[in-house]
Amino acid sequence: PGSEKGQKLVPSRPGRDTQLDEFPYASTYEGGTDSSIMHVPRSENESHGGALGRFYSSSGLKDGYEFRVAVVDKKVNRRKKRK
């Protein structure tokens, strides 16, 4: 995780089955100071961390490369299958 100094803690419920997650990602140059952090379900955080790591690897991203993050609601943006 990124540096917790200067991070804004978003109100959430800590618990034994949660982990702190941050945005922007700690693995990016934007992560760390001034990130928002909050408790999220452990399984969700671990799953997302794995998916992010696979994205970095499969995309061939190298240090200094830029990418954008788009947040979508799968329920709203579900496309109809074409026949």
Side-chain angles (χ1 to χ4, degrees), residues 1-9 20-38:
S3 167
E4 291 187 15
K5 184 178 181 184
Q7 291 179 333
K8 302 170 200 159
L9 184 62
L20 287 174
D21 195 11
E22 68 288 320
F23 190 82
Y25 308 122
S27 58
T28 64
Y29 284 107
E30 291 80 8
T33 303
D34 295 326
S35 293
S36 293
I37 60 174
M38 64 185 301

Side-chain angles (χ1 to χ4, degrees), residues 12-13 17-21 38-45:
S12 56
R13 296 182 184 172
D17 294 327
T18 64
Q19 293 178 333
L20 287 174
D21 195 11
M38 64 185 301
H39 288 270
V40 297
R42 177 182 304 275
S43 60
E44 185 178 303
N45 192 38

